[in-house]
Amino acid sequence: MIELLQNLIDGLGRGSIYALLALGVAVVFGVMHLLNFAHGELITVGGYATFAFFSQFTGGSWWLAAPIIVVAAIVASLIIERVAFSRVRGASDFTLLLTSFGVHFVVSAIFLLYVSASVKTFPRPGWVTNTWSIGSLTIEVFDTVVIVTTLVVLAGTAWLLQRTMFGLSLRAAAADFSTAQLMGVRSDAVIRGAFALSGLLAGIAGIFWLMRAGSITPSGGIDPMLKGVLAALIGGLGSLRGAVLGGFVLGLAEVLLRSRLPDGIANLTEGVVFLLIALLFIFRPQGLITVAHAERV
């Protein structure tokens, strides 16, 4: 029983990061019907900003690095929208998909050519590996901070979407973009706001992703991109609640499978997870939460 509780807490810690990534993917998908495969590059940008910060300020604090990561992710998201996606707005789904792949490869290539192909490392905060105990249960301080932060961010996002004019415009655009435009919703403002919110969520997730990794490479955005997209797909594309649910489900599945699989095949956890996701899509292709429709710009 203790082991199961331990796995559930570890899974919620990992799933919290996935939930933030998936929510960022879902926000953009809601207004543009764009499955953004360049989302992970926001963490790559944040990672290199972190490396630059600690290179310039040896002994620098993560209290200063964290807002730098968030700002870098938001700015990168807005630049990507302006340079790439604004030019294909209204194009077919396939064109939008190809554009997102193109942005992913271009950003990776920029860091590869103008920075380095080698791994860039930076110090991790000392408390990342600290633990605290409740009886026989050992809980990582890192997981606790991630879970609490995620709950606060999700509550703040829910308030933003439910209680502000921007949130109302965003939800209206996600439900039916054409009708929302007729009602006075400004398409440029809503889309840029969605990318800014997506960048904010990616930046917060990136703080914890980079804290745990302690390094970045030009291809470092692939893994978080896959986790975010998969979680959004599991939850149901177009559903913000589904994206959060999908993130937690994916995190719990990874941790529980890694602890339950025999030692000889524990390294195949990701493969088993992908197999289970494939089975989910066979029997429930719409994901865990069904979305009636999502109009594209």
Side-chain angles (χ1 to χ4, degrees):
M1 184 64 181
I2 294 297
E3 183 183 0
L4 178 60
L5 288 174
Q6 188 80 61
N7 290 335
L8 288 175
I9 293 171
D10 292 344
L12 288 175
R14 181 172 300 196
S16 295
I17 300 176
Y18 297 167
L20 292 174
L21 291 169
L23 188 57
V25 172
V27 165
V28 171
F29 183 88
V31 295
M32 285 192 69
H33 212 254
L34 164 66
L35 189 55
N36 188 8
F37 283 94
H39 191 65
E41 304 315 306
L42 304 182
I43 291 182
T44 302
V45 172
Y48 279 101
T50 306
F51 170 73
F53 169 75
F54 283 109
S55 296
Q56 292 295 319
F57 303 97
T58 305
S61 169
W62 270 93
W63 288 107
L64 295 176
I68 290 174
I69 294 171
V70 173
V71 171
I74 294 173
V75 171
S77 184
L78 290 172
I79 290 174
I80 288 172
E81 189 280 328
R82 181 63 177 173
V83 172
F85 295 122
S86 67
R87 302 179 185 279
V88 293
R89 203 178 291 174
S92 67
D93 293 346
F94 184 67
T95 299
L96 291 171
L97 190 64
L98 285 181
T99 302
S100 72
F101 272 115
V103 171
H104 160 71
F105 288 114
V106 167
V107 173
S108 298
I110 288 173
F111 286 114
L112 183 65
L113 292 172
Y114 296 103
V115 182
S116 173
S118 61
V119 177
K120 299 298 182 183
T121 61
F122 36 82
R124 301 192 303 166
W127 54 265
V128 165
T129 55
N130 292 349
T131 60
W132 58 286
S133 301
I134 301 179
S136 301
L137 192 64
T138 301
I139 303 172
E140 289 188 4
V141 173
F142 181 81
D143 285 339
T144 306
V145 174
V146 172
I147 293 170
V148 171
T149 302
T150 299
L151 291 177
V152 171
V153 172
L154 293 178
T157 304
W159 176 85
L160 177 70
L161 295 176
Q162 297 292 331
R163 302 293 183 182
T164 66
M165 285 302 297
F166 167 71
L168 178 61
S169 300
L170 193 65
R171 288 187 290 117
D176 189 326
F177 202 94
S178 298
T179 301
Q181 284 181 300
L182 293 174
M183 298 296 292
V185 172
R186 296 172 56 194
S187 60
D188 285 346
V190 170
I191 291 172
R192 286 170 189 162
F195 272 88
L197 178 58
S198 178
L200 172 64
L201 295 168
I204 296 171
I207 293 170
F208 298 114
W209 189 284
L210 296 166
M211 276 183 177
R212 174 157 278 176
S215 63
I216 191 65
T217 65
S219 60
I222 293 178
D223 200 24
M225 176 272 289
L226 285 175
K227 302 301 185 184
V229 170
L230 280 175
L233 288 168
I234 291 170
L237 274 178
S239 170
L240 302 183
R241 291 181 296 119
V244 174
L245 176 61
F248 285 120
V249 167
L250 181 58
L252 287 168
E254 286 185 355
V255 171
L256 291 173
L257 283 172
R258 193 176 296 278
S259 66
R260 294 293 186 267
L261 289 175
D263 293 338
I265 60 173
N267 291 331
L268 300 177
T269 299
E270 297 237 347
V272 176
V273 169
F274 274 99
L275 176 61
L276 293 176
I277 292 172
L279 292 174
L280 170 67
F281 291 154
I282 289 172
F283 294 103
R284 192 172 175 81
Q286 71 272 32
L288 297 176
I289 295 180
T290 302
V291 179
H293 64 281
E295 293 296 327
R296 180 171 58 82
V297 181

